[in-house]
Amino acid sequence: MGIKSSVTIFPLQQTTGRAKVSHAVVVIFLEFFAWGLLTTPMLTVLHETFPQHTFLMNGLIQGVKGLLSFLSAPLIGALSDVWGRKSFLLVTVFFTCAPIPLMRISPWWHFAMISVSGVFAVTFSVIFAYVADITEEHERSTAYGLVSATFAASLVTSPAIGAYLSANYGDSLVVLVATIIAVVDIAFVLLVVPESLPDKMRLMSWGSPISWEQADPFASLRRVGKDPTVLLICVTVFLSYLPEAGQYSSFFLYLRQVIEFSPATIAAFIAMVGILSIIAQTLLLTYFMRTIGNKNTVLLGLGFQLFQLAWYGFGSEPWMMWAAGTVAAMSSITFPAVSALVSRIAASDQQGCVQGMITGIRGLCNGLGPALYGFIFFLFNVELNELDPMTGRNKSTSQEPSEVQSPEYKQTIPGPPFLFGACLVLLALLVAIFIPDHHSMFKPLPASEEDIEPLLQDSSM
């Protein structure tokens, strides 16, 4: 039984011009620049809205968003293979940015909308499929690195700008500027971005059914187990991205609470990591892919991630965070290298589906990671106390005796979730070692449960 794909949802394919990687770069930059502006206001609103168990509530909010993303990513990826990328770029950008203006209107609705927006918060999945449509295989790793570097570039200046505007003009202006940038991004997709999927390929797909197996994320996970290579790649993605998702959701709160970074220092830290990530994901990624190969680049990135998380876990001084941040930038090469590896084994008409599968696993991590980190912080009694709005430092007079961490704990393991994440990445590294160096093309998903042909087969090379 299938869902007929002969229904038009958006007549957006009229934009003229040739699709380019630069279109994808602009879409990603504007979306995450808008959210980067809200880094400092978000910390304040989180603490004001959830004064008790801030880490836990933050983890739950991001967790619901990630789980919804996991459930929807395969369907959106499969539909984009049929209806084209532009329609779904518009939908994902719109719903991802929809919570921004609600921050000042109603914080409760803001966080509720963040959670619900996870249904369509799969921009990277559609973007990577968009890039795969318009690049040759030998160009793809460089293009993926450029897109991932753009994400880092959007965070180089936006948190600092947001912190400055917030300190001098208030959070309302920051939210207004972020909303305007989000509207510009939506307008750019609607008016400028051309469709990347060739008309011939799209017309050939019209009227063909999209099976429930393609739309079911759990069926996607079940199919993963039918081929050893797919299983190894997906397990590697899961084990490596689970701690990354948890870290991304809580790290700025951690810097402000435990390490006592001021908002300005947090903005500077993000800028440094962003600049180094751009270098890593453009120049170094291309160099590593050409010299040591795709698989070894993934292994190298996992090694840097392991070192970084262990350093975050045991680090208790500001200089340690700065040093570990440089390693974090190097670990950012992992995901574009994995995406390039997956794109090499996928047929041209299966890019959205394959990238949707990987994004679905990342979506599952986006659900489990923040909730897991929030729960571990909760177990170790790491909570936000009253913060000085100017410096971001704790007001010692407001701390209850039960809230003060013991010196012994703080010296030994200041960041227990990060140390747990390091153990997961070590497992990911061990799994990735067994990924074969060569693969055949990704075969179309089977139409029925009786077709148990592996998704991938080892090549004769």
Side-chain angles (χ1 to χ4, degrees):
M1 182 176 180
I3 308 170
K4 287 292 182 180
S5 60
S6 57
V7 181
T8 304
I9 50 173
F10 296 108
L12 299 177
Q13 276 75 32
Q14 290 82 9
T15 305
T16 59
R18 191 171 69 89
K20 301 177 182 178
V21 176
S22 58
H23 291 116
V25 166
V26 172
V27 171
I28 288 293
F29 181 85
L30 291 176
E31 178 178 315
F32 289 98
F33 188 89
W35 278 105
L37 290 172
L38 300 177
T39 301
T40 297
M42 180 70 78
L43 298 179
T44 304
V45 173
L46 262 173
H47 178 55
E48 292 176 348
T49 309
F50 308 107
Q52 300 295 325
H53 309 312
T54 310
F55 279 106
L56 182 61
M57 292 305 300
N58 176 61
L60 291 177
I61 291 167
Q62 298 296 331
V64 171
K65 177 181 178 181
L67 287 174
L68 291 176
S69 173
F70 162 71
L71 295 173
S72 65
L75 176 60
I76 291 179
L79 289 176
S80 74
D81 284 333
V82 176
W83 287 330
R85 316 298 184 198
K86 180 172 179 174
S87 301
F88 291 94
L89 271 181
L90 182 64
V91 170
T92 57
V93 171
F94 175 82
F95 280 98
T96 302
C97 296
I100 291 177
L102 294 176
M103 178 179 285
R104 298 309 299 172
I105 298 173
S106 172
W108 281 96
W109 277 107
H110 169 72
F111 291 117
M113 189 63 184
I114 286 178
S115 298
V116 175
S117 69
V119 174
F120 295 102
V122 290
T123 305
F124 265 107
S125 173
V126 184
I127 283 292
F128 279 136
Y130 188 96
V131 171
D133 293 339
I134 59 178
T135 56
E136 299 295 333
E137 182 178 314
H138 68 277
E139 304 171 324
R140 213 160 281 160
S141 61
T142 301
Y144 283 161
L146 180 61
V147 172
S148 297
T150 301
F151 165 72
S154 67
L155 299 178
V156 169
T157 57
S158 55
I161 294 173
Y164 174 81
L165 293 176
S166 178
N168 292 275
Y169 303 102
D171 290 347
S172 296
L173 179 62
V174 182
V175 174
L176 176 61
V177 173
T179 302
I180 293 173
I181 293 174
V183 171
V184 170
D185 196 16
I186 295 170
F188 180 80
V189 175
L190 182 63
L191 303 175
V192 180
V193 174
E195 176 57 54
S196 65
L197 202 62
D199 291 338
K200 181 179 179 181
M201 185 180 299
R202 208 163 57 245
L203 290 173
M204 289 174 59
S205 302
W206 280 83
S208 61
I210 296 174
S211 66
W212 285 113
E213 285 76 13
Q214 287 175 280
D216 179 7
F218 299 101
S220 176
L221 292 180
R222 288 193 297 270
R223 286 193 297 272
V224 164
K226 294 178 180 178
D227 184 276
T229 302
V230 177
L231 180 61
L232 290 173
I233 293 175
C234 291
V235 170
T236 300
V237 171
F238 179 81
L239 291 175
S240 63
Y241 196 72
L242 184 66
E244 183 176 337
Q247 172 189 327
Y248 184 77
S249 69
S250 61
F251 189 59
F252 301 143
L253 284 171
Y254 178 78
L255 288 178
R256 190 171 179 180
Q257 162 67 8
V258 179
I259 310 300
E260 298 186 340
F261 274 22
S262 68
T265 306
I266 292 176
F269 180 89
I270 296 172
M272 181 205 73
V273 175
I275 292 172
L276 293 178
S277 296
I278 294 171
I279 297 173
Q281 294 175 18
T282 52
L283 302 178
L284 295 181
L285 176 65
T286 303
Y287 174 76
F288 290 142
M289 293 285 282
R290 290 176 178 174
T291 55
I292 65 176
N294 202 320
K295 175 185 170 180
N296 289 330
T297 302
V298 173
L299 295 176
L300 183 63
L302 291 173
F304 281 117
Q305 185 182 4
L306 172 62
F307 186 34
Q308 160 225 334
L309 285 170
W311 206 338
Y312 282 153
F314 288 108
S316 58
E317 299 296 330
W319 71 266
M320 295 180 180
M321 298 298 104
W322 287 97
T326 61
V327 182
M330 288 299 301
S331 70
S332 66
I333 65 175
T334 305
F335 181 61
V338 170
S339 296
L341 175 62
V342 171
S343 71
R344 285 172 49 199
I345 60 177
S348 59
D349 61 345
Q350 291 286 316
Q351 290 293 333
C353 185
V354 179
Q355 295 296 346
M357 180 185 294
I358 298 299
T359 301
I361 293 175
R362 283 166 58 92
L364 181 61
C365 294
N366 282 330
L368 298 177
L372 180 63
Y373 268 48
F375 182 67
I376 295 176
F377 275 126
F378 174 74
L379 287 180
F380 282 83
N381 298 315
V382 181
E383 291 295 338
L384 281 176
N385 301 303
E386 189 66 27
L387 297 174
D388 187 315
M390 295 303 295
T391 66
R393 293 181 177 274
N394 297 320
K395 295 180 180 178
S396 57
T397 56
S398 68
Q399 289 183 331
E400 297 294 332
S402 61
E403 295 176 319
V404 180
Q405 300 166 11
S406 67
E408 208 175 292
Y409 158 75
K410 203 163 185 179
Q411 288 175 1
T412 308
I413 309 177
F418 305 113
L419 189 60
F420 177 79
C423 296
L424 293 180
V425 175
L426 177 60
L427 293 176
L429 187 60
L430 295 176
V431 171
I433 291 174
F434 295 97
I435 297 176
D437 291 320
H438 303 286
H439 315 279
S440 62
M441 297 298 289
F442 185 94
K443 296 184 179 298
L445 299 178
S448 67
E449 290 295 327
E450 297 177 356
D451 188 352
I452 57 173
E453 188 177 52
L455 296 176
L456 290 174
Q457 294 179 343
D458 292 338
S459 69
S460 58
M461 293 179 61

